Amino acid sequence: MKTALITGASQGIGAAIAYELNDKKIKVILVSRSIKKLNITQKNLIYPKNSTLISKDLRSLNSCKNIKKKIKKIDYLINVAGATKGGDFLQINDNIWDDGFNLKFKAAVRLSRLFWPLLKKNKGKIINIGGGAARNPSHTFMIGGAVNSALNNFSKALSIQGKIDKVSVSIIHPGMTLTTRLSKLLETDAKILKKNISDLLKERCKVDKIKRPTYPKEVAKLVYKLI
């Protein structure tokens, strides 16, 4: 049975990927800070016995190393974790910038490096989940744009190394996806821009030239196609 490690698996896109892969009888290792939310995700799996939960804060190198110690086999590393904050540029301090890069960018870099030998051995795959902000800069979501751009560049560079070591590396930029995180970002932007959330969502769809936001399960299906 193939094994996939999924970060940020307690909700949103990460949880949707867990459901999709578990449904396809792939063993899933679910990682998130909240064990309570991980338990909920696990209960909703079709094959909960084919899953393992790891509660760790990916912002630190030690946590990433501890995850590596617990895992002896892996075929797919799927980096989803990341909850970069939006807001007014002058109100966002260094700690918030550091938090955004530590959770989404550095965690993906660290886990990729730590698991590379196992992925190389199994001719595995890495799939990073970025975001539309990498393509469309926003003055109310600077951290997300910067982090996703960095993750995009890293993923492309790592894919070159992957061709040498027979490890496939991909990145998906889902754009606006209907998650609780999107709702929070829209609430923040609505206050800054003094606009109605519904109108703001329509404007964002128009800018992105889409009829509607993406559903997490649609991103999950694309991940499955890539593996």
Side-chain angles (χ1 to χ4, degrees):
M1 181 180 291
K2 298 289 186 179
T3 301
L5 170 65
I6 307 166
T7 69
S10 63
Q11 59 187 350
I13 293 174
I17 293 172
Y19 300 144
E20 180 70 19
L21 300 192
N22 180 260
D23 182 42
K24 300 299 190 296
K25 297 185 178 180
I26 294 173
K27 181 180 179 181
V28 291
I29 301 171
L30 312 181
V31 181
S32 176
R33 280 181 296 170
S34 174
I35 190 63
K36 182 178 180 179
K37 290 182 179 179
L38 282 175
N39 281 325
I40 293 173
T41 300
Q42 188 179 51
K43 287 179 181 178
N44 289 323
L45 294 173
I46 294 178
Y47 305 107
K49 291 184 178 181
N50 291 339
S51 66
T52 301
L53 307 184
I54 299 178
S55 176
K56 291 290 181 182
D57 188 336
L58 293 172
R59 290 175 176 85
S60 76
L61 175 59
N62 283 337
S63 289
C64 293
K65 287 182 176 179
N66 287 334
I67 291 172
K68 171 60 176 62
K69 290 178 181 178
K70 296 174 182 292
I71 300 170
K72 303 302 179 184
K73 180 184 180 299
I74 186 175
D75 299 283
Y76 313 119
L77 170 61
I78 304 172
N79 292 302
V80 187
T84 50
K85 296 180 179 179
D88 186 298
F89 171 60
L90 297 179
Q91 302 301 317
I92 302 174
N93 60 36
D94 278 7
N95 289 337
I96 299 175
W97 278 90
D98 290 342
D99 187 75
F101 271 92
N102 286 336
L103 180 57
K104 187 158 191 177
F105 179 72
K106 288 187 178 179
V109 172
R110 289 163 174 165
L111 291 175
S112 296
R113 183 176 66 234
L114 289 167
F115 283 105
W116 194 264
L118 282 178
L119 292 167
K120 180 179 178 180
K121 178 181 178 182
N122 296 330
K123 296 182 179 180
K125 299 177 184 290
I126 293 176
I127 300 175
N128 296 322
I129 305 298
R135 302 185 299 267
N136 302 312
S138 168
H139 71 289
T140 61
F141 194 50
M142 291 187 182
I143 301 176
V147 170
N148 285 324
S149 295
L151 185 62
N152 185 64
N153 189 287
F154 166 71
S155 299
K156 289 185 176 181
L158 189 62
S159 71
I160 299 172
Q161 182 63 46
K163 289 180 180 179
I164 298 171
D165 294 337
K166 308 301 181 185
V167 177
S168 172
V169 180
S170 305
I171 184 166
I172 297 172
H173 293 296
M176 284 193 300
T177 307
L178 289 174
T179 62
T180 54
R181 181 166 169 269
L182 175 62
S183 297
K184 291 179 181 178
L185 290 173
L186 287 172
E187 287 175 5
T188 299
D189 285 1
K191 291 178 181 179
I192 294 173
L193 302 173
K194 297 179 180 179
K195 293 185 177 182
N196 179 278
I197 292 178
S198 179
D199 292 337
L200 187 58
L201 181 59
K202 290 178 181 178
E203 287 180 14
R204 296 288 167 82
C205 287
K206 187 175 181 180
V207 170
D208 287 354
K209 298 180 180 180
I210 57 176
K211 293 182 178 180
R212 61 165 177 79
T214 302
Y215 291 102
K217 64 181 180 181
E218 293 174 318
V219 181
K221 289 185 181 300
L222 177 55
V223 169
Y224 178 67
K225 286 183 179 180
L226 288 175
I227 63 174

